[in-house]
Amino acid sequence: MTNRKYGAFLKHFLYFPLLLSFIACKDKNKPKENEVRNEIKLEDFCNQALDIHKTRINKFSLCFGENIEKVYNSERDKIAEFYQNCLTYVYEITRYITERKTIEYDGKKAYEVIESIKDILNQDCKEIRKKPKSILILIQKNLMELQKTSFYGKLKEGETCYHDLECSPGLICDGECPGTCKRTKQKEESCQEDRECSPNLVCLNGICTELGDEGKFCNNDFQCKEDLACIRYKCTRLKQEGESCVDSSDCEILCSADKLCTILATSEEGEICGIFAGNRIYKICNVGLYCKEMKEKEGEKQTAQNFICSPRKKEGENCKEGDSCDIGSYCSTDEGICKKLKKEGEKCGTDYVCDLGLICDKEEKICKKPLNTKNRKPKGESCTKDEECQSLNCKSQICCSPFNI
């Protein structure tokens, strides 16, 4: 079988789909000593959302011995797009709350969901290495729950609406733009998409039905209960070490050449790392180390010996291309040292020196939030998905909004 470094295998662990409803916050006012903050402020949602993404990426990179700078750079565009969507979404929803007064927000509910996500990510590496896919599925499902519990509409059945969130619980905004608030479908009623069904129901084969137990039909993970995954259109428990498998989608980690789910053994500094199925090598580096690709000689064949566990470089230490600096740092190849990633407002020459979520403004040459939505369609234009619209609300294939954007 073809040899490959395990970084490519882990790539899908380190990023899950962008969710416009993924929002969280960081209180502007530092809490007093021993004071427990139990509410999330709407205006600070996206900063905390970004922190959750960073924590996820950092945690999995540490636990699986990845080169953090390479992971950051591979995730950078996706995270910036997410952050832009989140900022735009919060701006739009804030206008519904303050101008139309049709949506209410529950910061305490949002806090509870965010804390539950943090608890999942606070598990030690030993646990995360056992069940990485299940953990990410739980995080995704908690994020979906965030929108359902944090916002509720005030409009009653039959009233004019522009957004699902404007309608009272148990109702959706149905029809054209604008539409009318209409009750959601109950169990066994016909449907076309999940949003039409009442809470805890999903649309399967055109019928509103309960979330799937193990073995039930599904189209995606969100149609299955708890940490079950949708594998080959069935809600399935991910398999552990030693269980038989068809391919790696069946397993928490991967399916070996013997068609058995396997775990990744840990290597120490100077030892071999990576996934080389032909040699039956399935190893990751211990916490604090990363799997470094050693430079090959001209014409030398790639082997397991080319990948060695190495310590991460600290801020201020000498580094060169291919080295991994500590979390929150990058290797400045011009200066040959590890430096902190730039914060908002700091000077930059390229996106790669800015912290995750920020971009390097080409004109001002400083790290900034990605706020530009000029390339998106204004209200009234045709669309196929929310992300195409300045309002992030594509309704009946029209960019829908009651506001002049």
Side-chain angles (χ1 to χ4, degrees):
M1 294 183 69
T2 303
N3 291 338
R4 59 189 175 92
K5 185 176 180 292
Y6 71 95
F9 157 73
L10 289 174
K11 185 175 181 182
H12 69 281
F13 282 171
L14 299 174
Y15 186 80
F16 45 91
L18 298 175
L19 299 171
L20 300 183
S21 60
F22 182 47
I23 41 184
C25 79
K26 183 173 66 178
D27 201 335
K28 291 181 179 178
N29 301 312
K30 185 177 180 181
K32 298 176 182 178
E33 188 175 356
N34 298 324
E35 180 183 356
V36 177
R37 179 168 56 86
N38 60 0
E39 186 174 353
I40 288 176
K41 295 185 180 296
L42 180 62
E43 64 268 25
D44 294 324
F45 268 176
C46 296
N47 293 330
Q48 186 69 12
L50 196 60
D51 287 344
I52 291 290
H53 272 295
K54 289 180 186 177
T55 301
R56 171 183 56 80
I57 291 170
N58 292 341
K59 187 79 175 195
F60 276 75
S61 296
L62 282 174
C63 291
F64 289 95
E66 276 281 47
N67 181 322
I68 189 66
E69 191 170 346
K70 287 185 177 180
V71 174
Y72 268 36
N73 291 340
S74 68
E75 299 287 316
R76 188 171 296 280
D77 290 345
K78 297 172 187 175
I79 297 298
E81 182 184 1
F82 160 76
Y83 195 36
Q84 181 187 56
N85 285 340
C86 183
L87 292 166
T88 305
Y89 184 83
V90 169
Y91 171 75
E92 183 79 0
I93 294 303
T94 299
R95 296 186 72 180
Y96 279 98
I97 293 172
T98 59
E99 296 179 37
R100 278 178 59 79
K101 302 185 186 304
T102 52
I103 297 176
E104 296 254 346
Y105 162 67
D106 190 338
K108 291 184 178 180
K109 288 289 186 182
Y111 174 82
E112 291 174 5
V113 178
I114 291 299
E115 286 302 301
S116 69
I117 296 171
K118 289 180 179 178
D119 287 341
I120 294 170
L121 287 169
N122 280 338
Q123 296 181 77
D124 61 31
C125 283
K126 185 177 180 181
E127 291 302 311
I128 288 177
R129 286 169 178 168
K130 285 180 182 177
K131 48 183 182 179
K133 291 181 184 177
S134 292
I135 287 172
L136 289 183
I137 288 171
L138 280 175
I139 292 173
Q140 291 182 58
K141 291 179 179 179
N142 271 275
L143 292 177
M144 291 296 289
E145 189 66 22
L146 184 63
Q147 184 184 27
K148 296 176 183 178
T149 58
S150 301
F151 296 94
Y152 56 94
K154 300 169 70 175
L155 297 181
K156 297 178 180 179
E157 187 173 359
E159 291 190 295
T160 301
C161 56
Y162 291 83
H163 199 292
D164 279 347
L165 290 180
E166 290 190 282
C167 300
S168 297
L171 304 174
I172 60 167
C173 188
D174 191 49
E176 305 296 326
C177 178
T180 55
C181 290
K182 184 178 178 180
R183 72 174 185 87
T184 53
K185 305 289 183 69
Q186 303 302 309
K187 186 178 177 181
E188 303 301 332
E189 288 189 306
S190 62
C191 57
Q192 292 183 326
E193 52 185 328
D194 288 347
R195 59 179 283 275
E196 297 177 31
C197 300
S198 294
N200 299 318
L201 299 179
V202 292
C203 187
L204 278 173
N205 295 326
I207 300 294
C208 289
T209 186
E210 293 179 348
L211 292 172
D213 289 307
E214 189 170 357
K216 294 292 185 180
F217 177 82
C218 59
N219 288 309
N220 57 60
D221 294 340
F222 298 108
Q223 295 177 339
C224 301
K225 287 184 177 178
E226 299 173 346
D227 60 352
L228 295 177
C230 186
I231 302 173
R232 301 182 196 94
Y233 300 103
K234 283 189 177 181
C235 293
T236 307
R237 177 185 60 83
L238 288 159
K239 296 183 177 181
Q240 304 291 329
E241 180 187 11
E243 294 186 87
S244 61
C245 52
V246 175
D247 55 45
S248 292
S249 66
D250 295 325
C251 307
E252 282 285 5
I253 304 294
L254 56 81
C255 186
S256 71
D258 298 326
K259 297 300 179 184
L260 295 173
C261 291
T262 185
I263 60 171
L264 300 174
T266 54
S267 294
E268 300 299 333
E269 185 175 350
E271 295 180 345
I272 292 172
C273 54
I275 294 175
F276 295 88
N279 297 336
R280 301 182 187 277
I281 294 174
Y282 307 97
K283 293 187 174 183
I284 57 174
C285 298
N286 217 339
V287 177
L289 305 173
Y290 75 102
C291 194
K292 181 177 181 179
E293 182 177 2
M294 311 305 289
K295 291 293 183 182
E296 302 173 33
K297 296 177 182 178
E298 189 68 30
E300 183 181 358
K301 187 178 180 181
Q302 186 186 70
T303 66
Q305 282 68 35
N306 294 131
F307 299 96
I308 302 296
C309 289
S310 303
R312 302 175 191 273
K313 302 282 187 177
K314 305 291 184 184
E315 183 185 353
E317 288 186 350
N318 293 333
C319 64
K320 59 182 182 297
E321 186 178 355
D323 288 340
S324 179
C325 298
D326 250 346
I327 286 173
S329 303
Y330 71 99
C331 182
S332 172
T333 51
D334 291 339
E335 300 176 60
I337 59 171
C338 289
K339 301 181 70 174
K340 277 188 177 180
L341 289 166
K342 309 285 187 179
K343 301 299 182 184
E344 186 178 1
E346 293 186 327
K347 292 183 179 180
C348 58
T350 173
D351 290 345
Y352 296 129
V353 304
C354 298
D355 204 355
L356 275 183
L358 303 178
I359 59 172
C360 185
D361 187 275
K362 293 179 180 178
E363 295 180 359
E364 297 183 50
K365 299 295 182 184
I366 59 173
C367 296
K368 296 179 68 174
K369 294 177 181 177
L371 295 172
N372 188 0
T373 59
K374 289 181 180 178
N375 294 328
R376 296 186 180 182
K377 297 178 179 180
K379 71 175 186 178
E381 289 200 14
S382 62
C383 57
T384 58
K385 57 183 179 180
D386 290 339
E387 292 88 341
E388 294 177 7
C389 304
Q390 291 178 4
S391 63
L392 287 177
N393 185 25
C394 182
K395 181 173 171 56
S396 299
Q397 297 186 324
I398 296 292
C399 289
C400 186
S401 175
F403 310 114
N404 292 321
I405 298 176

